[in-house]
Amino acid sequence: MKVTVIGGGVIGYTCAHELARAGHDVTVLAADPPDRTTSAVAAAVWFPYEAAPADAVLRWGARSLRAFTELAADPGTGVSLRSGLVLHRTASPDLWWTAAVASAETVLDGLPHGVPSATRCTLPVIDMGRYLPWLVAAAGVRTVVGEVRDLADVEGAVVVAAGLRSGGLLADEDVTPVRGQVVRLANPGLTDWLIDDDNPAGLTYVVPRDHDVVCGGTAERGAWSVDPSPGVETAILTRVRDLVPALRDAAVASRGVGLRPARSAVRLDRVERDGRPVVSCYGHGGAGVTLSWGCAAEVVALLGRDGGPV
């Protein structure tokens, strides 16, 4: 069956990959090339941030975790398995997400001031600069660059996976940007990542890759600017260097801003419109990479082999 996937980010191309593997004739309609999408800005450590509902997120995330763990065996994918810490600022942290993780241990010693505990685990870190080209090539589907403004202009079965643009295509007002700014530093030799999303000074994370370290961040709901703010960057650097002193002399390599497509809950469903199936897959907040393979598998199931759900 011919299927058009609207969206050229990690969700769109993962859906395209799995649909093609299921035997469909797939075309991706992309408003921007992959390296200009929000996906390209992501620090991309597996972590279910700013996505709901929890039960579905856990299911999709667990499947994606297995997929990324398998991909880490191939250096060409840009996926690696790295140990790191999730810092907890409360005495009783909510560790719901650890149900998907093979091994997670509590750490009580050697933590920054004001951090009573942390969870150490090994998770996939995805270098999006390498992973997105791999994913596009692995999907092996046609790509047409251009913005879709009306689903009536697209023939056949459709998968709407266009991030923030999805709301306009489906008249869904429950989609809003959550602005994320990062600064990438030269890597002084770090291997372990760190997440401190309850830092009182602001969301903070440090995600080392082979040649740089992605440092963040922000979670500015309703903000649309994609221009990096020097003041925000200074604040990010202050937070990450307080937590990771090895970064104090690390030079800035690059910077970026992405607009996370937030929604009260991820929309993943199927409707019939003008006699053809339309599957929605958007609203992943800060967890698009984390949920990508699990959501793509559900898209395939919703669409079925001949347009009827399996």
Side-chain angles (χ1 to χ4, degrees), residues 46-48 54 57-59 61-62 65 84-88 93-106 118-123 193:
W46 183 97
F47 193 72
V57 165
L58 192 62
R59 181 177 73 252
L65 181 56
L85 289 174
V86 179
L87 304 185
H88 308 309
D94 185 356
L95 301 178
W96 65 275
W97 56 274
T98 60
V101 178
S103 61
E105 58 183 25
T106 300
T119 297
R120 178 173 289 282
C121 51
T122 297
L123 297 174
W193 49 267

Side-chain angles (χ1 to χ4, degrees), residues 167 211 263:
H211 302 295
R263 196 173 183 273

Side-chain angles (χ1 to χ4, degrees), residues 149-206:
R149 298 187 181 277
D150 191 326
L151 291 185
D153 298 333
V154 182
E155 296 181 353
V158 179
V159 176
V160 179
L164 283 175
R165 290 186 173 95
S166 302
L169 289 171
L170 294 169
D172 183 355
E173 296 182 357
D174 187 21
V175 186
T176 189
V178 175
R179 183 181 183 275
Q181 180 168 329
V182 300
V183 54
R184 305 177 192 97
L185 303 180
N187 193 341
L190 297 180
T191 58
D192 288 10
W193 49 267
L194 181 147
I195 295 173
D196 186 12
D197 57 0
D198 290 327
N199 190 311
L203 169 65
T204 305
Y205 51 85
V206 175

Side-chain angles (χ1 to χ4, degrees), residues 9 16 70 76 95 98 119 121 141-142 156 177 209 218 247 267 298:
E70 293 174 3
L95 301 178
T98 60
T119 297
C121 51
V141 301
R142 291 181 298 277
R209 306 187 295 191
T218 62
L247 292 173
R267 183 174 181 186
E298 193 155 321

